[in-house]
Amino acid sequence: MTEPTEPELIPASDACALLGISPATLYAYVSRGQLSSRPGPDPRSRVYLRAEVERLAQRKRAGRGAERGAAQSLDRGLPVLETRISLIRPDAPYYRGRSAVAAARAGATLEDIARLLWECEEQDPFAVPPPPAWPERVAALALDTALPPLERTMACIPLLALEQRQSLNAAAPVRREVAATLLRQNAALLVGVQPDARPVHRLLADAWRPGDAGFAGLVRSALVLCADHELNVSAFAARVVASTGAHLHATVSAGLAALSGPRHGGATARAHALLLDAEASGA
């Protein structure tokens, strides 16, 4: 009986060469569970199973052909794209090369991160007047706190699109201003209040724990750290819809619909219910 041999491990540079990808994309494969990695010979390096890398490379080659562009974007149904927007590393998410953890520690708000992600440069889309009060056709739903937050938001955003005259304007400055207004409206819908010019973290914290500055800081940090997460399901769904030229309200609606699934954002509600059950049972 022969002794089992140790699996061959290769460094990141060899894995990238076999797959024809950049290190950033290699990390994306690992973060989505398509590849596994192990600590390398020094604390800052990682190594990969050659057999696993070669299987993935074979699947990538099989997917190429007439639909080469789509195959490079999707690998067996999982989105893997080069992106300059975000990178998930063990120490922190990075937004356009900047550490989200460092930004949160420095007091950045969600609006600051939006300006970075949207490449606003000198433009401040949040300097426009705050969103007006909810239109009559939306108000009854928007302020109904008996409705679940996500369902309330998904019901109202398509109606708000009817009030947005610039919804299909392709000019980047206009789209940023529409996005800024939509971000504020989305936050207000989630907690069932009127939209205003407060930073999003403050609007949410004031609805959940009025006057608690420490809690508001936690909400701010959480929003910064979750502002973008490469191509998770909801982000990918939103980007697919945006690629059709659909307006931003339709894009957000698609992302929220994907978020509602029990294997994505809906898992939060399940985890919360589990914690409530544990608390009630005294566990």
Side-chain angles (χ1 to χ4, degrees):
M1 183 175 179
T2 59
E3 291 291 328
T5 58
E6 287 292 323
E8 183 179 359
L9 300 173
I10 58 176
S13 57
D14 289 358
C16 288
L18 284 170
L19 291 166
I21 58 175
S22 69
T25 304
L26 179 65
Y27 302 144
Y29 279 125
V30 174
S31 69
R32 298 188 186 101
Q34 292 180 274
L35 284 176
S36 57
S37 67
R38 303 179 184 182
D42 64 79
R44 302 186 62 182
S45 68
R46 307 292 293 181
V47 292
Y48 304 82
L49 290 168
R50 174 181 286 277
E52 201 174 69
V53 173
E54 288 178 343
R55 282 196 297 271
L56 182 56
Q58 184 176 9
R59 292 204 304 268
K60 285 170 61 66
R61 287 192 296 270
R64 293 176 181 151
E67 300 298 328
R68 182 182 179 89
Q72 288 176 332
S73 299
L74 296 172
D75 186 57
R76 295 211 169 203
L78 294 175
V80 178
L81 297 174
E82 295 277 2
T83 175
R84 293 179 297 126
I85 297 174
S86 70
L87 172 66
I88 309 303
R89 297 291 301 273
D91 60 314
Y94 284 78
Y95 304 144
R96 297 201 182 277
R98 301 183 187 180
S99 167
V101 169
R105 286 174 175 165
T109 64
L110 180 61
E111 289 81 358
D112 293 329
I113 299 302
R115 285 187 283 265
L116 171 65
L117 293 174
W118 299 345
E119 295 184 303
C120 292
E121 297 179 352
E122 298 302 317
Q123 182 195 10
D124 183 3
F126 296 97
V128 299
W134 299 126
E136 183 178 352
R137 75 178 84 190
V138 173
L141 288 171
L143 300 175
D144 185 353
T145 55
L147 292 172
L150 193 57
E151 283 71 11
R152 179 173 56 238
T153 306
M154 288 194 293
C156 292
I157 284 181
L159 297 176
L160 290 173
L162 302 176
E163 309 290 329
Q164 180 55 252
R165 295 182 179 179
Q166 300 279 10
S167 61
L168 293 175
N169 191 318
V174 174
R175 289 178 70 81
R176 293 186 191 115
E177 290 184 357
V178 172
T181 297
L182 185 52
L183 181 62
R184 286 170 164 161
Q185 290 175 329
N186 190 74
L189 286 169
L190 287 171
V191 291
V193 300
Q194 292 285 358
D196 58 41
R198 280 176 293 174
V200 166
H201 75 274
R202 179 53 81 181
L203 182 147
L204 297 175
D206 287 349
W208 290 328
R209 289 192 186 179
D212 189 334
F215 178 72
L218 289 175
V219 174
R220 177 189 58 78
S221 296
L223 290 173
V224 167
L225 295 175
C226 296
D228 194 275
H229 200 284
E230 294 184 313
L231 285 178
N232 61 20
V233 176
S234 51
F236 185 64
R239 289 171 184 174
V240 169
V241 172
S243 73
T244 71
H247 55 71
L248 291 176
H249 290 70
T251 298
V252 169
S253 295
L256 290 173
L259 185 68
S260 68
R263 295 182 180 178
H264 190 21
T268 303
R270 297 168 64 194
H272 184 245
L274 177 63
L275 292 174
L276 290 178
D277 287 346
E279 184 181 35
S281 67

